[in-house]
Amino acid sequence: MPEDNNKAGTPKQNNFVRILEEAQLVTPDVINKAMVLAEEAGQSLRDTLIETGQVTEEDILQATADKMGMEIIELDDLKLDSSVKDLIPERVAKHYKVFPIRREADDTLVVAIADPFDVQLADDLKIMLGNSLKMVIAKEEQIERAIKKYYEGHQVEELIQQFNEEQQQQSLDEFNYDEVLKGTAKGTGELSAEDGAIVNFVNTMFRQAIHDRASDIHVEPFARTIKIRFRIDGVLHEMTPPPKRAQNAILSRLKLMSGMDLAEKRIPQDGRIKLNLEGKNLDVRVNALPSLYGESIVMRILDQSTVLLGLEDVGFTPYHIEVFEQQIKKPNGILLMTGPTGSGKTTTLYAALSAINTVDKKLITVENPVEYQINGINQVQVNAEIGLTFSIGLRSMLRQSPDVILVGEIRDTETAEIAVRAALTGHLVFSTLHTNDAPSATVRLIDMGIKPFLVASSVQAIVAQRLVRRICNACKEPFTPNKETLDLLSVPQDKREGLQLMRGRGCDKCSFSGYKGRTAIHEMMVMNEQIRMMVLNREAAATIKKKAREYGMHTLREDGFEKVLMGQTTVDEIMRVTQLDTA
């Protein structure tokens, strides 16, 4: 129900205000103050009232429906016939923010609208569609979701169907798989990387991945098929496969876009694709790996337009925020993030950099690749082909007199030694390391050849991180856990009565998985004199972990269980991504 382009005092806005006042939702004084705020913020009166908590969107919808005699519908709860979308062209639906619901027996078209105050809307639709219309009200965000789902959501499947209809695919039984292995089988090269159908398919594959919130796209050739899988919230989902005969053309198209050598199919290659889709600037990291039936290509999607998160947004509990802020404000030392690839380590370090990025500090990063561009920070891109490695970049950074340094990853002894030296000479150093938990990081540095006394004196804190799926807010529901679950969560006996946890029932919004989006769980080990002495004496990681827990360190599983009790995720999800605490 937006009225973003209307100035105060227009008939449309006056009608909106009158409805709210008659419903006793606001007073004239509240309206006057909101109008001033709306003008200062450059947004609509409606959005200002909602953001300031004066009214809810549900209040506005109900008051409008009562006044105008219209029905409110929940689009997310409706099972819609996808063929109905053909009654309104996609460009019209997007422009007017409307969605066709159904055609009734008397040929009346029922249309969901977001803005019942737009008197011109019905006239325009009647002229364009030539139908009698019945308007119902739905939330704007629900209409936008329906448009994305029903107009855009099935484009890949429709293109694949088009492939199969337009191309006469020869029988798979006729393939000579020895020739497939060599890339000379008949039918595998008939489609070109420049064919319009291939170009359209690859572009639509990227759009589908963005629409589905995928972090990775996997294109995997097998004997009788080519699989396409999207990694969504950390879990792979298989998409409808394109025809086998399109394999070489699709792979060539992706290699061409990413700047790889098309003729080279024997060794792995890396490349990058820069895209602008749906208003998003995307940096796609591409890796091609020769496999038995062709090159397996994996693409990591980095959204350059993503707004950097605050510490509370990356999953830190209030306790961990307090401890982490203390560490990133120290004048020197090393802060390490540990965890497997794709666990959000760099995102958390970016949040830390943003928190301390002030005019009085010089911040420099050396990364491969530079995932997000941050104003006020000097960022260096590693380029091994010309000799710009992590260690060389880090060595040069120290001559720039920085206060804070971020090294994308400590992957060799030379980089580790320079980072330690930088920390001991008055610099605050952020970096990442691949270990299973926080205490193992000290052992890993020593194994890399760093002397124990240097590790003990330079490292200030180590944070292990994992990503877990969030329960879908749209279908979240409470349930009563059994005794085994309560025991696992270590819930005290006096707090078990009436305790309820949350789980996702499964709905269209989360593809019936019960999860949508991810959050992080953490294990934060802050160095103290006792732990430093254990590192100096080369104690085992398990022994260090036990001592750290005595000083208040929460393990990954303990932090995960805390988020289960907070209703953010489930026990099954925590058990999937963490290991048993043995210390």
Side-chain angles (χ1 to χ4, degrees):
M1 221 167 28
E3 18 86 25
D4 298 356
N5 299 321
N6 292 276
K7 297 180 180 179
T10 63
K12 182 176 177 180
Q13 189 178 71
N14 289 339
N15 288 335
F16 172 69
V17 171
R18 190 178 303 113
I19 287 175
L20 296 187
E21 289 180 340
E22 289 178 0
Q24 297 183 345
L25 293 174
V26 294
T27 63
D29 185 48
V30 168
I31 288 293
N32 292 334
K33 290 179 180 177
M35 283 183 174
V36 174
L37 291 174
E39 187 174 354
E40 291 176 352
Q43 64 183 14
S44 69
L45 174 63
R46 170 187 178 274
D47 289 345
T48 301
L49 288 169
I50 292 174
E51 286 184 9
T52 55
Q54 302 297 330
V55 293
T56 66
E57 186 174 7
E58 289 74 15
D59 290 337
I60 295 174
L61 287 176
Q62 192 61 57
T64 305
D66 292 343
K67 179 67 176 178
M68 305 181 74
M70 298 177 69
E71 176 189 356
I72 300 175
I73 65 165
E74 288 288 335
L75 266 182
D76 292 339
D77 295 337
L78 291 181
K79 290 192 178 296
L80 302 172
D81 182 356
S82 60
S83 64
V84 179
K85 75 179 191 302
D86 298 331
L87 299 175
I88 294 182
E90 180 180 354
R91 60 180 178 80
V92 174
K94 287 183 174 179
H95 178 74
Y96 287 100
K97 290 187 172 62
V98 299
F99 191 82
I101 304 298
R102 64 183 179 274
R103 187 193 289 276
E104 297 190 334
D106 60 354
D107 210 32
T108 297
L109 180 60
V110 180
V111 178
I113 64 172
D115 188 1
F117 296 101
D118 191 343
V119 294
Q120 191 66 37
L121 173 62
D123 293 338
D124 289 349
L125 289 179
K126 285 176 183 177
I127 292 172
M128 285 185 287
L129 305 176
N131 289 310
S132 58
L133 299 176
K134 176 184 176 182
M135 306 291 189
V136 295
I137 304 176
K139 291 182 180 179
E140 183 178 340
E141 61 179 20
Q142 293 188 4
I143 291 178
E144 290 176 347
R145 276 198 294 270
I147 290 172
K148 285 200 170 207
K149 178 178 179 181
Y150 287 92
Y151 283 104
E152 304 172 8
H154 302 291
Q155 289 184 2
V156 168
E157 285 78 2
E158 290 172 1
L159 275 179
I160 289 168
Q161 183 178 354
Q162 179 183 340
F163 261 135
N164 291 324
E165 290 175 355
E166 295 181 357
Q167 303 288 335
Q168 292 184 345
Q169 184 179 3
Q170 68 184 56
S171 170
L172 290 172
D173 294 336
E174 296 177 9
F175 275 102
N176 180 321
Y177 289 113
D178 290 333
E179 293 180 353
V180 172
L181 192 62
K182 300 173 186 175
T184 59
K186 293 181 179 179
T188 60
E190 291 180 9
L191 292 170
S192 163
E194 298 295 340
D195 280 354
I198 294 296
V199 172
N200 194 18
F201 176 82
V202 170
N203 291 342
T204 305
M205 179 180 68
F206 281 117
R207 284 198 299 270
Q208 182 80 46
I210 300 306
H211 175 264
D212 291 346
R213 303 175 296 104
S215 60
D216 303 86
I217 304 173
H218 295 245
V219 182
E220 305 164 315
F222 292 95
R224 295 178 176 270
T225 185
I226 173 171
K227 289 187 177 182
I228 294 181
R229 297 194 288 175
F230 293 169
R231 187 177 295 279
I232 303 170
D233 294 337
V235 178
L236 285 170
H237 299 265
E238 188 170 350
M239 315 307 291
T240 304
K244 177 68 177 178
R245 75 181 305 153
Q247 171 180 312
N248 281 3
I250 292 172
L251 298 181
S252 295
R253 178 64 185 169
L254 292 172
K255 291 175 68 176
L256 184 68
M257 292 175 70
S258 57
M260 296 182 187
D261 184 351
L262 293 180
E264 183 57 75
K265 300 180 180 180
R266 301 164 300 170
I267 60 174
Q269 295 189 72
D270 291 303
R272 299 179 74 173
I273 301 173
K274 287 192 176 294
L275 298 172
N276 188 302
L277 292 174
E278 299 187 0
K280 294 177 179 288
N281 293 315
L282 304 174
D283 185 13
V284 184
R285 291 157 50 185
V286 186
N287 176 264
L289 178 70
S291 63
L292 191 60
Y293 296 104
E295 291 168 287
S296 174
I297 292 183
V298 176
M299 293 166 280
R300 168 69 62 84
I301 301 172
L302 303 173
D303 185 356
Q304 296 285 353
S305 62
T306 298
V307 177
L308 289 173
L309 302 175
L311 295 179
E312 62 281 348
D313 298 316
V314 297
F316 282 123
T317 60
Y319 167 76
H320 279 150
I321 288 177
E322 182 180 354
V323 175
F324 194 71
E325 284 183 336
Q326 291 173 0
Q327 300 306 312
I328 64 177
K329 290 177 181 177
K330 288 187 175 180
N332 55 62
I334 297 177
L335 188 148
L336 289 172
M337 291 290 304
T338 76
T341 301
S343 59
K345 302 185 297 295
T346 304
T347 300
T348 299
L349 288 181
Y350 274 131
L353 286 179
S354 297
I356 59 174
N357 183 17
T358 55
V359 70
D360 60 327
K361 287 188 174 68
K362 183 177 180 68
L363 283 66
I364 307 181
T365 75
V366 54
E367 309 166 66
N368 186 23
V370 174
E371 296 190 9
Y372 302 99
Q373 298 175 19
I374 313 174
N375 288 331
I377 298 180
N378 299 276
Q379 295 174 271
V380 178
Q381 170 76 52
V382 167
N383 189 341
E385 292 182 1
I386 61 173
L388 180 53
T389 61
F390 275 113
S391 57
I392 291 176
L394 180 53
R395 197 187 307 275
S396 299
M397 285 163 57
L398 294 176
R399 303 190 191 108
Q400 294 274 316
S401 186
D403 296 294
V404 183
I405 298 169
L406 184 147
V407 185
E409 182 183 349
I410 293 178
R411 58 177 65 183
D412 55 52
T413 302
E414 185 179 6
T415 304
E417 287 176 342
I418 300 171
V420 167
R421 195 174 305 123
L424 293 176
T425 54
H427 302 87
L428 182 60
V429 181
F430 296 160
S431 192
T432 68
L433 199 63
H434 288 288
T435 61
N436 287 329
D437 58 12
S440 298
T442 58
V443 178
R444 172 75 179 125
L445 287 173
I446 293 172
D447 287 344
M448 291 175 70
I450 309 301
K451 296 185 182 303
F453 78 90
L454 292 176
V455 176
S457 56
S458 62
V459 175
Q460 297 289 355
I462 306 165
V463 182
Q465 178 168 301
R466 298 289 188 280
L467 293 179
V468 296
R469 290 180 291 174
R470 281 182 176 272
I471 300 171
C472 174
N473 283 326
C475 61
K476 181 185 287 189
E477 64 179 12
F479 74 99
T480 302
N482 57 31
K483 181 179 181 300
E484 289 73 17
T485 300
L486 293 172
D487 289 343
L488 189 63
L489 295 172
S490 301
V491 178
Q493 292 293 334
D494 60 338
K495 295 184 178 180
R496 296 190 176 194
E497 185 68 30
L499 177 66
Q500 289 192 314
L501 302 180
M502 305 301 292
R503 64 187 173 193
R505 183 177 61 256
C507 64
D508 286 342
K509 292 184 186 176
C510 60
S511 301
F512 298 95
S513 67
Y515 299 97
K516 186 174 182 182
R518 289 192 287 180
T519 187
I521 57 174
H522 300 94
E523 178 177 285
M524 193 174 298
M525 186 177 82
V526 178
M527 301 291 281
N528 58 27
E529 290 305 315
Q530 290 75 16
I531 295 177
R532 293 185 198 279
M533 189 58 65
M534 297 177 77
V535 172
L536 195 60
N537 293 331
R538 295 177 179 262
E539 298 278 2
T543 308
I544 296 174
K545 184 174 185 177
K546 184 176 181 180
K547 178 61 68 174
R549 292 181 72 181
E550 291 178 8
Y551 284 101
M553 183 187 81
H554 298 172
T555 66
L556 284 166
R557 181 162 288 192
E558 288 169 342
D559 189 52
F561 285 164
E562 184 174 345
K563 288 182 169 62
V564 171
L565 294 171
M566 293 166 64
Q568 296 182 10
T569 187
T570 64
V571 171
D572 289 343
E573 185 66 6
I574 300 303
M575 300 292 282
R576 182 179 70 86
V577 301
T578 63
Q579 59 187 3
L580 182 66
D581 292 326
T582 55

